[in-house]
Amino acid sequence: MTTHDIINRRHFIETAGVAAAAAGFLGSAAPARAADAPPAANAKVRIVGISGSHRKGKTTATGLQMALDSAKAVSPEIETELIELMDYKLLPAVPGGEIEDDYARIHAKITDPSVGGIILGSPVYFSNMSALMKMFIEHFGPYKKSGALSNKVAGVLTVAGVRNGGQEGVAQSIMAAALGVEMIVVGDGRPTGHSGATLWNNAKDDITQDEFGCSTAKGLGKRVAEVALRMAGKARS
Ligand SMILES: Cc1cc2nc3c(=O)[nH]c(=O)nc-3n(C[C@H](O)[C@H](O)[C@H](O)COP(=O)(O)O)c2cc1C
């Protein structure tokens, strides 16, 4: 069975199951999509970081972990997970094609109703996102119909080797993909107020030396968590 078969089957089962439970197959008030199903009332709101770096545990992963820690600090209702795409075998997504890769495992994690926000992190490679992040995003095709990522909050974090190395351009590109699957895109919020976290690897992979970049990562995590809590009806203010 291919990744697309698994995803399509899972979406069908989820959607049919949710609709049946909600409306007893009478079809009246059934949610339109599985993604609209609310998480259980006592469920924590999960924020997932996705690292598209080709180097595990380096600056992109460290920046994302910083953002996730900041998200977690917002509320005890938040829990986090960092996914490194290098841990998965991803192949080019061919529309309607046969893909024998690991995407179904990532799909299960990111589309879970407990996931309220996803922080997408990529290093800048030749002024673009990494090939791995692009490969990951190119698996989003079915979500345009299924809505499996709809209304989840998206934040973007980018890391480059120089100050103006392409961070903002890459962030815009990833944001466009998130908008295409009905995610709610947020930036790093006050006081920095930019389009996400933009980090500069200016100290031989010790990203903690980039004080400004780290503040944008922390701001992004906080903002994603705050909006995800609000979307889950758990906001305090
Ligand atoms: C193939 C490649 C292309 C790169 N292109 C750029 C670039 O266009 N602009 C830039 O500022 N840095 C560039 N860099 C530097 C990386 O963005 C930077 O080292 C980043 O911190 C790497 O992320 P990582 O620590 O998660 O591997 C490039 C690095 C590689 C390996």
Side-chain angles (χ1 to χ4, degrees):
M1 189 175 287
T2 68
T3 292
H4 272 192
D5 289 339
I6 294 165
I7 291 172
N8 289 335
R9 250 174 73 84
R10 189 168 286 150
H11 282 181
F12 173 77
I13 291 164
E14 285 168 355
T15 307
V18 168
F25 268 121
L26 294 176
S28 53
R33 305 178 283 237
D36 292 335
N42 58 354
K44 292 202 173 192
V45 175
R46 209 166 170 72
I47 309 293
V48 178
I50 306 277
S51 173
S53 175
H54 296 189
R55 296 192 305 164
K56 283 180 64 181
K58 294 296 186 178
T59 61
T60 308
T62 306
L64 278 170
Q65 193 56 59
M66 235 178 259
L68 293 175
D69 289 346
S70 170
K72 203 168 183 176
V74 167
S75 161
E77 304 258 29
I78 297 283
E79 63 183 14
T80 62
E81 178 180 4
L82 176 64
I83 295 175
E84 298 230 38
L85 294 179
M86 277 299 279
D87 285 333
Y88 300 83
K89 176 182 150 197
L90 291 178
L91 294 172
V94 182
E98 310 283 311
I99 319 169
E100 298 284 352
D101 70 3
D102 291 340
Y103 186 74
R105 282 166 55 210
I106 307 177
H107 164 83
K109 282 178 182 278
I110 65 176
T111 60
D112 191 280
S114 67
V115 174
I118 301 176
I119 305 179
L120 301 152
S122 178
V124 176
Y125 289 166
F126 291 101
S127 305
N128 283 281
M129 72 182 83
S130 69
L132 200 46
M133 178 53 73
K134 191 77 182 348
M135 196 83 87
F136 166 69
I137 284 174
E138 286 176 10
H139 286 71
F140 284 8
Y143 302 152
K144 291 199 178 241
K145 280 194 181 154
S146 72
L149 292 183
S150 294
N151 301 324
K152 294 187 192 292
V153 181
V156 178
L157 175 146
T158 54
V159 191
V162 297
R163 186 194 297 279
N164 298 308
Q167 291 94 331
E168 289 191 319
V170 170
Q172 296 289 334
S173 185
I174 296 174
M175 283 181 198
L179 287 169
V181 290
E182 293 189 334
M183 296 187 80
I184 297 171
V185 178
V186 300
D188 54 343
R190 288 168 283 167
T192 42
H194 297 109
S195 48
T198 48
L199 295 104
W200 173 24
N201 180 5
N202 64 348
K204 296 195 171 92
D205 292 341
D206 181 4
I207 203 67
T208 63
Q209 298 302 307
D210 176 22
E211 199 179 322
F212 174 80
C214 290
S215 74
T216 66
K218 290 172 189 165
L220 180 70
K222 178 169 179 276
R223 179 94 182 116
V224 168
E226 285 171 351
V227 180
L229 284 171
R230 197 166 277 270
M231 292 300 294
K234 292 174 183 266
R236 295 211 184 109
S237 58

